[in-house]
Amino acid sequence: MLLMERGHAWSRRRVSEPAPTGTTETSQDAGVCFSWFRFPSVCDGYLPKVGRLARLEDFMGKIAVYPGSFDPITFGHVDIVDRALECFDGVILAVAADTPKDALFNVNERVEMAKVALKDKPDVVVESFRGLLVNYVASAKATVILRGLRATSDFEYEFHMASTNKNLNQKIETLFMMANKDYFFVSSRTIKEVASMGGSVKGLVPECVERKLRERFEALRKKK
Ligand code: ADP
């Protein structure tokens, strides 16, 4: 899926550009890749400011791009980011803008939840991307794609993707981190399954995700 065309309508805005009228964005927020204030329905109620996230243009040194669907972000993903920050100067969590067929959340929602989940990590940028991952990585001036490996079931797909991406751009390496023992069984898919049946996902996803899952499934149940 990392090779597919992805569509999104976001635009990058520099810190020097003024925030649109009627928003409360700070100058620091303005540098956060893509503008969260465009999606009030997602933000309403619980989204704090995300101004502590880094700006892409602030990054110096070694950057890793951590791509994925993040539908939604889990503590397994957050753990990979935390450990990557021990090895890299900055991490870009890159949300695939091309929504998978069975996605529960659209790309804007997935980006917003990731921003909230990672808001206290100053060396992390969250943005969406489209097109070939290797092109996105090169445009971010990074040379490392970071992926998490949970079990042997992840391996075949990851090996295939890493080899294909290497073939597309020799300069870009894919690095894998083993899943933390506390989260190796956590996947966005099972989280959605459990939440859809009213089960608890506490301790496996950030609070904002827990709440968003509850709201989404309640809304879906009412629709039926
Ligand atoms: P995909 O990119 O296949 O849609 P995800 O968005 O779910 O996958 O995850 C992005 C990356 O994070 C993948 O490399 C995936 O293997 C990894 N990952 C997902 N869940 C976990 C977890 N619980 N622990 C470690 N890595 C994980």
Side-chain angles (χ1 to χ4, degrees):
M1 71 99 188
L2 298 176
L3 297 169
M4 292 180 341
E5 273 296 314
R6 299 188 167 89
H8 71 82
W10 304 64
S11 63
R12 183 181 300 236
R13 196 160 49 78
R14 296 280 157 180
V15 191
S16 52
E17 294 174 38
T21 322
T23 69
T24 55
E25 188 186 43
T26 65
S27 60
Q28 205 184 359
D29 292 329
V32 181
C33 307
F34 299 109
S35 319
W36 60 267
F37 51 80
R38 290 188 188 176
F39 307 101
S41 60
V42 182
C43 305
D44 273 350
Y46 66 89
L47 265 184
K49 276 184 188 285
V50 287
R52 273 169 289 183
L53 287 175
R55 298 170 304 180
L56 197 54
E57 54 268 45
D58 286 345
F59 277 167
M60 289 167 75
K62 208 74 184 155
I63 300 167
V65 174
Y66 182 29
S69 308
F70 304 104
D71 180 48
I73 190 166
T74 70
F75 278 143
H77 296 128
V78 175
D79 180 76
I80 294 284
V81 171
D82 280 337
R83 287 157 57 207
L85 288 171
E86 300 289 323
C87 314
F88 295 93
D89 300 303
V91 171
I92 302 171
L93 187 127
V95 180
D98 184 32
T99 310
K101 273 194 208 106
D102 59 347
L104 182 63
F105 299 106
N106 67 34
V107 64
N108 305 331
E109 293 172 313
R110 288 181 275 135
V111 165
E112 297 315 321
M113 283 186 280
K115 281 185 178 179
V116 174
L118 301 169
K119 68 181 190 306
D120 292 327
K121 303 183 195 310
D123 297 322
V124 177
V125 160
V126 178
E127 54 176 39
S128 61
F129 74 99
R130 66 188 298 182
L132 283 175
L133 174 63
V134 287
N135 292 347
Y136 169 76
V137 173
S139 74
K141 308 235 179 312
T143 53
V144 172
I145 296 169
L146 182 67
R147 296 283 287 175
L149 268 186
R150 278 160 297 186
T152 48
S153 52
D154 276 345
F155 181 77
E156 197 174 335
Y157 173 73
E158 294 292 346
F159 180 74
H160 184 79
M161 293 311 304
S163 307
T164 309
N165 284 328
K166 188 72 181 170
N167 191 51
L168 286 167
N169 188 329
Q170 300 288 317
K171 290 185 184 153
I172 295 175
E173 281 300 336
T174 303
L175 294 186
F176 296 98
M177 274 192 178
M178 297 303 293
N180 185 315
K181 67 174 173 41
D182 296 333
Y183 303 119
F184 76 93
F185 62 95
V186 177
S187 73
S188 300
R189 190 165 58 85
T190 50
I191 289 289
K192 286 182 281 189
E193 274 172 22
V194 170
S196 73
M197 293 175 216
S200 171
V201 290
K202 206 175 176 53
L204 303 178
V205 295
E207 244 180 65
C208 65
V209 174
E210 237 186 295
R211 190 168 358 193
K212 199 83 176 100
L213 282 165
R214 213 177 310 123
E215 285 169 8
R216 179 58 45 94
F217 285 117
E218 263 170 34
L220 288 174
R221 266 194 291 275
K222 276 185 193 151
K223 253 190 187 176
K224 279 185 186 166

